[in-house]
Every structure is written in structure tokens, then in C-alpha cells.
PDB file of all heavy atoms in Angstrom:
ATOM      1  N   THR X   1     143.356  55.344  14.517  1.00 80.00           N
ATOM      2  CA  THR X   1     144.362  55.768  13.526  1.00 80.00           C
ATOM      3  C   THR X   1     144.156  57.212  13.193  1.00 80.00           C
ATOM      4  O   THR X   1     143.040  57.677  12.852  1.00 80.00           O
ATOM      5  CB  THR X   1     144.196  54.948  12.227  1.00 80.00           C
ATOM      6  OG1 THR X   1     144.428  53.578  12.548  1.00 80.00           O
ATOM      7  CG2 THR X   1     145.168  55.418  11.179  1.00 80.00           C
ATOM      8  N   LEU X   2     145.258  58.003  13.252  1.00 90.00           N
ATOM      9  CA  LEU X   2     145.204  59.390  12.826  1.00 90.00           C
ATOM     10  C   LEU X   2     145.220  59.509  11.324  1.00 90.00           C
ATOM     11  O   LEU X   2     145.875  58.755  10.626  1.00 90.00           O
ATOM     12  CB  LEU X   2     146.469  60.126  13.433  1.00 90.00           C
ATOM     13  CG  LEU X   2     146.513  60.338  14.940  1.00 90.00           C
ATOM     14  CD1 LEU X   2     147.892  60.803  15.328  1.00 90.00           C
ATOM     15  CD2 LEU X   2     145.438  61.330  15.363  1.00 90.00           C
ATOM     16  N   SER X   3     144.473  60.459  10.798  1.00 93.00           N
ATOM     17  CA  SER X   3     144.461  60.677   9.365  1.00 93.00           C
ATOM     18  C   SER X   3     145.714  61.385   8.953  1.00 93.00           C
ATOM     19  O   SER X   3     146.450  61.958   9.774  1.00 93.00           O
ATOM     20  CB  SER X   3     143.218  61.513   9.011  1.00 93.00           C
ATOM     21  OG  SER X   3     143.360  62.837   9.518  1.00 93.00           O
ATOM     22  N   VAL X   4     145.965  61.421   7.651  1.00 94.00           N
ATOM     23  CA  VAL X   4     147.129  62.163   7.104  1.00 94.00           C
ATOM     24  C   VAL X   4     147.074  63.654   7.459  1.00 94.00           C
ATOM     25  O   VAL X   4     148.130  64.197   7.928  1.00 94.00           O
ATOM     26  CB  VAL X   4     147.243  61.958   5.565  1.00 94.00           C
ATOM     27  CG1 VAL X   4     148.283  62.854   4.991  1.00 94.00           C
ATOM     28  CG2 VAL X   4     147.530  60.530   5.258  1.00 94.00           C
ATOM     29  N   PRO X   5     145.922  64.338   7.314  1.00 94.00           N
ATOM     30  CA  PRO X   5     145.943  65.784   7.717  1.00 94.00           C
ATOM     31  C   PRO X   5     146.205  65.935   9.218  1.00 94.00           C
ATOM     32  O   PRO X   5     146.897  66.900   9.615  1.00 94.00           O
ATOM     33  CB  PRO X   5     144.501  66.213   7.392  1.00 94.00           C
ATOM     34  CG  PRO X   5     144.057  65.263   6.273  1.00 94.00           C
ATOM     35  CD  PRO X   5     144.704  63.961   6.622  1.00 94.00           C
ATOM     36  N   SER X   6     145.705  65.068  10.063  1.00 95.00           N
ATOM     37  CA  SER X   6     145.966  65.155  11.516  1.00 95.00           C
ATOM     38  C   SER X   6     147.446  64.939  11.813  1.00 95.00           C
ATOM     39  O   SER X   6     148.047  65.665  12.624  1.00 95.00           O
ATOM     40  CB  SER X   6     145.101  64.140  12.281  1.00 95.00           C
ATOM     41  OG  SER X   6     143.755  64.389  12.154  1.00 95.00           O
ATOM     42  N   LEU X   7     148.024  63.977  11.161  1.00 96.00           N
ATOM     43  CA  LEU X   7     149.453  63.713  11.315  1.00 96.00           C
ATOM     44  C   LEU X   7     150.301  64.873  10.835  1.00 96.00           C
ATOM     45  O   LEU X   7     151.297  65.273  11.427  1.00 96.00           O
ATOM     46  CB  LEU X   7     149.886  62.462  10.565  1.00 96.00           C
ATOM     47  CG  LEU X   7     149.567  61.099  11.227  1.00 96.00           C
ATOM     48  CD1 LEU X   7     149.730  59.952  10.265  1.00 96.00           C
ATOM     49  CD2 LEU X   7     150.470  60.918  12.472  1.00 96.00           C
ATOM     50  N   TYR X   8     149.879  65.488   9.713  1.00 96.00           N
ATOM     51  CA  TYR X   8     150.579  66.667   9.188  1.00 96.00           C
ATOM     52  C   TYR X   8     150.605  67.775  10.249  1.00 96.00           C
ATOM     53  O   TYR X   8     151.656  68.407  10.457  1.00 96.00           O
ATOM     54  CB  TYR X   8     149.858  67.137   7.911  1.00 96.00           C
ATOM     55  CG  TYR X   8     150.571  68.319   7.259  1.00 96.00           C
ATOM     56  CD1 TYR X   8     151.494  68.168   6.267  1.00 96.00           C
ATOM     57  CD2 TYR X   8     150.266  69.619   7.660  1.00 96.00           C
ATOM     58  CE1 TYR X   8     152.147  69.244   5.682  1.00 96.00           C
ATOM     59  CE2 TYR X   8     150.900  70.726   7.090  1.00 96.00           C
ATOM     60  CZ  TYR X   8     151.809  70.509   6.070  1.00 96.00           C
ATOM     61  OH  TYR X   8     152.447  71.610   5.491  1.00 96.00           O
ATOM     62  N   ARG X   9     149.452  68.068  10.864  1.00 96.00           N
ATOM     63  CA  ARG X   9     149.361  69.143  11.873  1.00 96.00           C
ATOM     64  C   ARG X   9     150.278  68.799  13.086  1.00 96.00           C
ATOM     65  O   ARG X   9     151.002  69.686  13.585  1.00 96.00           O
ATOM     66  CB  ARG X   9     147.932  69.354  12.340  1.00 96.00           C
ATOM     67  CG  ARG X   9     147.072  70.041  11.248  1.00 96.00           C
ATOM     68  CD  ARG X   9     145.746  70.439  11.863  1.00 96.00           C
ATOM     69  NE  ARG X   9     144.860  69.313  12.144  1.00 96.00           N
ATOM     70  CZ  ARG X   9     144.030  68.773  11.276  1.00 96.00           C
ATOM     71  NH1 ARG X   9     143.919  69.263  10.076  1.00 96.00           N
ATOM     72  NH2 ARG X   9     143.267  67.711  11.635  1.00 96.00           N
ATOM     73  N   LEU X  10     150.261  67.576  13.508  1.00 97.00           N
ATOM     74  CA  LEU X  10     151.152  67.171  14.662  1.00 97.00           C
ATOM     75  C   LEU X  10     152.630  67.231  14.313  1.00 97.00           C
ATOM     76  O   LEU X  10     153.439  67.637  15.111  1.00 97.00           O
ATOM     77  CB  LEU X  10     150.729  65.747  15.104  1.00 97.00           C
ATOM     78  CG  LEU X  10     149.370  65.624  15.740  1.00 97.00           C
ATOM     79  CD1 LEU X  10     149.093  64.110  15.996  1.00 97.00           C
ATOM     80  CD2 LEU X  10     149.293  66.365  17.101  1.00 97.00           C
ATOM     81  N   LEU X  11     152.930  66.813  13.085  1.00 97.00           N
ATOM     82  CA  LEU X  11     154.341  66.901  12.609  1.00 97.00           C
ATOM     83  C   LEU X  11     154.833  68.300  12.482  1.00 97.00           C
ATOM     84  O   LEU X  11     156.001  68.547  12.696  1.00 97.00           O
ATOM     85  CB  LEU X  11     154.440  66.130  11.264  1.00 97.00           C
ATOM     86  CG  LEU X  11     154.432  64.617  11.378  1.00 97.00           C
ATOM     87  CD1 LEU X  11     154.320  63.999   9.971  1.00 97.00           C
ATOM     88  CD2 LEU X  11     155.618  64.053  12.053  1.00 97.00           C
ATOM     89  N   TYR X  12     153.938  69.198  12.092  1.00 97.00           N
ATOM     90  CA  TYR X  12     154.358  70.601  12.006  1.00 97.00           C
ATOM     91  C   TYR X  12     154.765  71.124  13.395  1.00 97.00           C
ATOM     92  O   TYR X  12     155.764  71.857  13.541  1.00 97.00           O
ATOM     93  CB  TYR X  12     153.267  71.474  11.396  1.00 97.00           C
ATOM     94  CG  TYR X  12     153.720  72.950  11.303  1.00 97.00           C
ATOM     95  CD1 TYR X  12     154.600  73.331  10.311  1.00 97.00           C
ATOM     96  CD2 TYR X  12     153.240  73.868  12.173  1.00 97.00           C
ATOM     97  CE1 TYR X  12     154.983  74.680  10.218  1.00 97.00           C
ATOM     98  CE2 TYR X  12     153.646  75.261  12.142  1.00 97.00           C
ATOM     99  CZ  TYR X  12     154.512  75.587  11.139  1.00 97.00           C
ATOM    100  OH  TYR X  12     154.952  76.945  11.028  1.00 97.00           O
ATOM    101  N   LYS X  13     153.957  70.838  14.425  1.00 96.00           N
ATOM    102  CA  LYS X  13     154.321  71.205  15.786  1.00 96.00           C
ATOM    103  C   LYS X  13     155.599  70.590  16.224  1.00 96.00           C
ATOM    104  O   LYS X  13     156.469  71.224  16.865  1.00 96.00           O
ATOM    105  CB  LYS X  13     153.188  70.766  16.767  1.00 96.00           C
ATOM    106  CG  LYS X  13     151.900  71.496  16.538  1.00 96.00           C
ATOM    107  CD  LYS X  13     150.823  71.014  17.538  1.00 96.00           C
ATOM    108  CE  LYS X  13     149.501  71.695  17.362  1.00 96.00           C
ATOM    109  NZ  LYS X  13     148.457  71.176  18.259  1.00 96.00           N
ATOM    110  N   SER X  14     155.844  69.344  15.855  1.00 96.00           N
ATOM    111  CA  SER X  14     157.045  68.652  16.204  1.00 96.00           C
ATOM    112  C   SER X  14     158.252  69.235  15.460  1.00 96.00           C
ATOM    113  O   SER X  14     159.362  69.327  15.997  1.00 96.00           O
ATOM    114  CB  SER X  14     156.983  67.128  15.832  1.00 96.00           C
ATOM    115  OG  SER X  14     155.923  66.547  16.561  1.00 96.00           O
ATOM    116  N   TYR X  15     158.056  69.639  14.213  1.00 95.00           N
ATOM    117  CA  TYR X  15     159.101  70.331  13.440  1.00 95.00           C
ATOM    118  C   TYR X  15     159.522  71.634  14.163  1.00 95.00           C
ATOM    119  O   TYR X  15     160.742  71.931  14.206  1.00 95.00           O
ATOM    120  CB  TYR X  15     158.610  70.612  12.029  1.00 95.00           C
ATOM    121  CG  TYR X  15     159.205  71.833  11.385  1.00 95.00           C
ATOM    122  CD1 TYR X  15     160.479  71.906  10.955  1.00 95.00           C
ATOM    123  CD2 TYR X  15     158.429  73.020  11.283  1.00 95.00           C
ATOM    124  CE1 TYR X  15     161.041  73.013  10.384  1.00 95.00           C
ATOM    125  CE2 TYR X  15     159.001  74.171  10.750  1.00 95.00           C
ATOM    126  CZ  TYR X  15     160.253  74.188  10.309  1.00 95.00           C
ATOM    127  OH  TYR X  15     160.822  75.297   9.737  1.00 95.00           O
ATOM    128  N   ARG X  16     158.579  72.399  14.659  1.00 94.00           N
ATOM    129  CA  ARG X  16     158.883  73.648  15.355  1.00 94.00           C
ATOM    130  C   ARG X  16     159.769  73.371  16.571  1.00 94.00           C
ATOM    131  O   ARG X  16     160.635  74.137  16.920  1.00 94.00           O
ATOM    132  CB  ARG X  16     157.626  74.342  15.764  1.00 94.00           C
ATOM    133  CG  ARG X  16     156.703  74.746  14.584  1.00 94.00           C
ATOM    134  CD  ARG X  16     157.103  76.073  13.947  1.00 94.00           C
ATOM    135  NE  ARG X  16     156.966  77.191  14.866  1.00 94.00           N
ATOM    136  CZ  ARG X  16     157.186  78.412  14.504  1.00 94.00           C
ATOM    137  NH1 ARG X  16     157.481  78.720  13.286  1.00 94.00           N
ATOM    138  NH2 ARG X  16     157.083  79.399  15.427  1.00 94.00           N
ATOM    139  N   LEU X  17     159.488  72.269  17.268  1.00 93.00           N
ATOM    140  CA  LEU X  17     160.299  71.918  18.445  1.00 93.00           C
ATOM    141  C   LEU X  17     161.682  71.412  18.060  1.00 93.00           C
ATOM    142  O   LEU X  17     162.672  71.711  18.654  1.00 93.00           O
ATOM    143  CB  LEU X  17     159.583  70.866  19.267  1.00 93.00           C
ATOM    144  CG  LEU X  17     158.293  71.321  19.958  1.00 93.00           C
ATOM    145  CD1 LEU X  17     157.523  70.109  20.526  1.00 93.00           C
ATOM    146  CD2 LEU X  17     158.551  72.312  21.049  1.00 93.00           C
ATOM    147  N   ALA X  18     161.716  70.639  16.962  1.00 92.00           N
ATOM    148  CA  ALA X  18     162.959  70.012  16.531  1.00 92.00           C
ATOM    149  C   ALA X  18     163.964  71.025  16.068  1.00 92.00           C
ATOM    150  O   ALA X  18     165.197  70.822  16.181  1.00 92.00           O
ATOM    151  CB  ALA X  18     162.668  68.994  15.439  1.00 92.00           C
ATOM    152  N   ARG X  19     163.532  72.135  15.468  1.00 89.00           N
ATOM    153  CA  ARG X  19     164.468  73.139  14.901  1.00 89.00           C
ATOM    154  C   ARG X  19     165.031  74.033  15.958  1.00 89.00           C
ATOM    155  O   ARG X  19     165.984  74.787  15.642  1.00 89.00           O
ATOM    156  CB  ARG X  19     163.775  73.922  13.809  1.00 89.00           C
ATOM    157  CG  ARG X  19     162.721  74.970  14.312  1.00 89.00           C
ATOM    158  CD  ARG X  19     162.256  75.787  13.138  1.00 89.00           C
ATOM    159  NE  ARG X  19     161.420  76.898  13.608  1.00 89.00           N
ATOM    160  CZ  ARG X  19     160.951  77.865  12.813  1.00 89.00           C
ATOM    161  NH1 ARG X  19     161.236  77.829  11.537  1.00 89.00           N
ATOM    162  NH2 ARG X  19     160.231  78.847  13.272  1.00 89.00           N
ATOM    163  N   LYS X  20     164.507  74.038  17.205  1.00 83.00           N
ATOM    164  CA  LYS X  20     165.079  74.858  18.272  1.00 83.00           C
ATOM    165  C   LYS X  20     166.525  74.418  18.494  1.00 83.00           C
ATOM    166  O   LYS X  20     166.795  73.205  18.724  1.00 83.00           O
ATOM    167  CB  LYS X  20     164.279  74.741  19.530  1.00 83.00           C
ATOM    168  CG  LYS X  20     162.945  75.457  19.508  1.00 83.00           C
ATOM    169  CD  LYS X  20     162.242  75.399  20.849  1.00 83.00           C
ATOM    170  CE  LYS X  20     160.907  76.157  20.842  1.00 83.00           C
ATOM    171  NZ  LYS X  20     160.217  76.048  22.142  1.00 83.00           N
ATOM    172  N   ASN X  21     167.479  75.369  18.518  1.00 63.00           N
ATOM    173  CA  ASN X  21     168.871  75.103  18.738  1.00 63.00           C
ATOM    174  C   ASN X  21     169.498  74.179  17.670  1.00 63.00           C
ATOM    175  O   ASN X  21     170.599  73.670  17.865  1.00 63.00           O
ATOM    176  CB  ASN X  21     169.101  74.497  20.113  1.00 63.00           C
ATOM    177  CG  ASN X  21     168.609  75.354  21.222  1.00 63.00           C
ATOM    178  OD1 ASN X  21     168.775  76.599  21.191  1.00 63.00           O
ATOM    179  ND2 ASN X  21     168.053  74.744  22.260  1.00 63.00           N
ATOM    180  N   LYS X  22     168.748  73.971  16.573  1.00 64.00           N
ATOM    181  CA  LYS X  22     169.276  73.177  15.476  1.00 64.00           C
ATOM    182  C   LYS X  22     169.216  73.917  14.153  1.00 64.00           C
ATOM    183  O   LYS X  22     169.202  73.301  13.097  1.00 64.00           O
ATOM    184  CB  LYS X  22     168.484  71.850  15.353  1.00 64.00           C
ATOM    185  CG  LYS X  22     168.630  70.941  16.582  1.00 64.00           C
ATOM    186  CD  LYS X  22     170.050  70.388  16.768  1.00 64.00           C
ATOM    187  CE  LYS X  22     170.160  69.530  17.974  1.00 64.00           C
ATOM    188  NZ  LYS X  22     171.552  69.066  18.222  1.00 64.00           N
ATOM    189  N   ARG X  23     169.103  75.251  14.238  1.00 62.00           N
ATOM    190  CA  ARG X  23     169.054  76.056  13.000  1.00 62.00           C
ATOM    191  C   ARG X  23     170.331  76.011  12.218  1.00 62.00           C
ATOM    192  O   ARG X  23     171.411  75.931  12.799  1.00 62.00           O
ATOM    193  CB  ARG X  23     168.645  77.506  13.356  1.00 62.00           C
ATOM    194  CG  ARG X  23     167.380  77.657  14.185  1.00 62.00           C
ATOM    195  CD  ARG X  23     166.132  76.987  13.537  1.00 62.00           C
ATOM    196  NE  ARG X  23     165.863  77.418  12.199  1.00 62.00           N
ATOM    197  CZ  ARG X  23     165.041  78.412  11.890  1.00 62.00           C
ATOM    198  NH1 ARG X  23     164.422  79.103  12.857  1.00 62.00           N
ATOM    199  NH2 ARG X  23     164.800  78.777  10.639  1.00 62.00           N
ATOM    200  N   ASN X  24     170.179  76.043  10.941  1.00 65.00           N
ATOM    201  CA  ASN X  24     171.270  76.169  10.010  1.00 65.00           C
ATOM    202  C   ASN X  24     172.134  74.856   9.924  1.00 65.00           C
ATOM    203  O   ASN X  24     173.289  74.934   9.437  1.00 65.00           O
ATOM    204  CB  ASN X  24     172.134  77.329  10.315  1.00 65.00           C
ATOM    205  CG  ASN X  24     171.423  78.663  10.247  1.00 65.00           C
ATOM    206  OD1 ASN X  24     170.514  78.816   9.407  1.00 65.00           O
ATOM    207  ND2 ASN X  24     171.726  79.602  11.144  1.00 65.00           N
ATOM    208  N   THR X  25     171.660  73.715  10.463  1.00 77.00           N
ATOM    209  CA  THR X  25     172.348  72.503  10.221  1.00 77.00           C
ATOM    210  C   THR X  25     171.999  72.017   8.822  1.00 77.00           C
ATOM    211  O   THR X  25     171.000  72.410   8.219  1.00 77.00           O
ATOM    212  CB  THR X  25     171.960  71.404  11.215  1.00 77.00           C
ATOM    213  OG1 THR X  25     170.572  71.155  11.140  1.00 77.00           O
ATOM    214  CG2 THR X  25     172.274  71.869  12.634  1.00 77.00           C
ATOM    215  N   ARG X  26     172.846  71.201   8.246  1.00 80.00           N
ATOM    216  CA  ARG X  26     172.707  70.814   6.844  1.00 80.00           C
ATOM    217  C   ARG X  26     171.400  70.088   6.603  1.00 80.00           C
ATOM    218  O   ARG X  26     170.628  70.405   5.715  1.00 80.00           O
ATOM    219  CB  ARG X  26     173.862  69.862   6.429  1.00 80.00           C
ATOM    220  CG  ARG X  26     173.912  69.538   4.969  1.00 80.00           C
ATOM    221  CD  ARG X  26     175.132  68.636   4.652  1.00 80.00           C
ATOM    222  NE  ARG X  26     176.343  69.265   5.081  1.00 80.00           N
ATOM    223  CZ  ARG X  26     177.530  68.712   4.990  1.00 80.00           C
ATOM    224  NH1 ARG X  26     177.660  67.452   4.505  1.00 80.00           N
ATOM    225  NH2 ARG X  26     178.636  69.333   5.411  1.00 80.00           N
ATOM    226  N   SER X  27     171.046  69.103   7.476  1.00 84.00           N
ATOM    227  CA  SER X  27     169.770  68.343   7.269  1.00 84.00           C
ATOM    228  C   SER X  27     168.548  69.183   7.547  1.00 84.00           C
ATOM    229  O   SER X  27     167.497  69.006   6.917  1.00 84.00           O
ATOM    230  CB  SER X  27     169.805  67.099   8.147  1.00 84.00           C
ATOM    231  OG  SER X  27     169.842  67.406   9.517  1.00 84.00           O
ATOM    232  N   GLN X  28     168.676  70.125   8.507  1.00 87.00           N
ATOM    233  CA  GLN X  28     167.554  70.957   8.803  1.00 87.00           C
ATOM    234  C   GLN X  28     167.229  71.929   7.639  1.00 87.00           C
ATOM    235  O   GLN X  28     166.082  72.123   7.231  1.00 87.00           O
ATOM    236  CB  GLN X  28     167.845  71.808  10.071  1.00 87.00           C
ATOM    237  CG  GLN X  28     166.718  72.747  10.499  1.00 87.00           C
ATOM    238  CD  GLN X  28     167.007  74.157  10.188  1.00 87.00           C
ATOM    239  OE1 GLN X  28     168.178  74.591  10.177  1.00 87.00           O
ATOM    240  NE2 GLN X  28     165.993  74.957   9.852  1.00 87.00           N
ATOM    241  N   LEU X  29     168.292  72.551   7.066  1.00 88.00           N
ATOM    242  CA  LEU X  29     168.099  73.440   5.916  1.00 88.00           C
ATOM    243  C   LEU X  29     167.496  72.676   4.709  1.00 88.00           C
ATOM    244  O   LEU X  29     166.650  73.174   3.986  1.00 88.00           O
ATOM    245  CB  LEU X  29     169.382  74.117   5.548  1.00 88.00           C
ATOM    246  CG  LEU X  29     169.947  75.146   6.526  1.00 88.00           C
ATOM    247  CD1 LEU X  29     171.309  75.585   6.142  1.00 88.00           C
ATOM    248  CD2 LEU X  29     168.983  76.347   6.681  1.00 88.00           C
ATOM    249  N   LYS X  30     168.031  71.464   4.469  1.00 90.00           N
ATOM    250  CA  LYS X  30     167.557  70.650   3.365  1.00 90.00           C
ATOM    251  C   LYS X  30     166.056  70.345   3.543  1.00 90.00           C
ATOM    252  O   LYS X  30     165.266  70.394   2.579  1.00 90.00           O
ATOM    253  CB  LYS X  30     168.331  69.349   3.265  1.00 90.00           C
ATOM    254  CG  LYS X  30     167.939  68.404   2.165  1.00 90.00           C
ATOM    255  CD  LYS X  30     168.797  67.185   2.113  1.00 90.00           C
ATOM    256  CE  LYS X  30     168.324  66.236   0.974  1.00 90.00           C
ATOM    257  NZ  LYS X  30     169.162  65.003   1.000  1.00 90.00           N
ATOM    258  N   PHE X  31     165.656  70.021   4.754  1.00 92.00           N
ATOM    259  CA  PHE X  31     164.231  69.689   5.074  1.00 92.00           C
ATOM    260  C   PHE X  31     163.340  70.931   4.858  1.00 92.00           C
ATOM    261  O   PHE X  31     162.254  70.799   4.339  1.00 92.00           O
ATOM    262  CB  PHE X  31     164.120  69.216   6.524  1.00 92.00           C
ATOM    263  CG  PHE X  31     162.810  68.584   6.857  1.00 92.00           C
ATOM    264  CD1 PHE X  31     162.512  67.277   6.581  1.00 92.00           C
ATOM    265  CD2 PHE X  31     161.809  69.328   7.440  1.00 92.00           C
ATOM    266  CE1 PHE X  31     161.318  66.720   6.872  1.00 92.00           C
ATOM    267  CE2 PHE X  31     160.605  68.779   7.753  1.00 92.00           C
ATOM    268  CZ  PHE X  31     160.347  67.452   7.494  1.00 92.00           C
ATOM    269  N   GLU X  32     163.826  72.120   5.223  1.00 92.00           N
ATOM    270  CA  GLU X  32     163.041  73.317   5.124  1.00 92.00           C
ATOM    271  C   GLU X  32     162.948  73.878   3.720  1.00 92.00           C
ATOM    272  O   GLU X  32     162.039  74.752   3.482  1.00 92.00           O
ATOM    273  CB  GLU X  32     163.601  74.387   6.098  1.00 92.00           C
ATOM    274  CG  GLU X  32     163.303  74.147   7.497  1.00 92.00           C
ATOM    275  CD  GLU X  32     163.660  75.373   8.391  1.00 92.00           C
ATOM    276  OE1 GLU X  32     164.355  76.212   7.906  1.00 92.00           O
ATOM    277  OE2 GLU X  32     163.171  75.382   9.552  1.00 92.00           O
TER     278      GLU X  32
END
């Protein structure tokens, strides 16, 4: 089981990938 801090770090990397070519969408801006 990954800890919360470990998941946070992995999710941040995933967030950086998810926002590529998805900038300025409504849900992306709300999340940021």
C-alpha cells in the first residue's frame, strides 16, 4: 500500500501529464 504522501507525489506527476493539451478547460481550471 502506498502512503498518502507517496500517492500525492505520483498524482502530481499525473496531473502534469493530464493538463497537456487540456489547458483552460473548465474542469482543469477549477481543479487548479
Side-chain angles (χ1 to χ4, degrees):
T1 299
L2 290 169
S3 66
V4 172
S6 296
L7 281 168
Y8 182 94
R9 288 191 289 271
L10 291 173
L11 286 169
Y12 181 75
K13 293 179 181 178
S14 299
Y15 150 74
R16 298 277 296 184
L17 293 170
R19 74 175 187 173
K20 288 184 178 179
N21 301 320
K22 297 294 179 184
R23 304 306 303 268
N24 301 324
T25 62
R26 188 179 303 176
S27 63
Q28 180 258 328
L29 290 172
K30 182 180 177 181
F31 191 85
E32 285 191 344

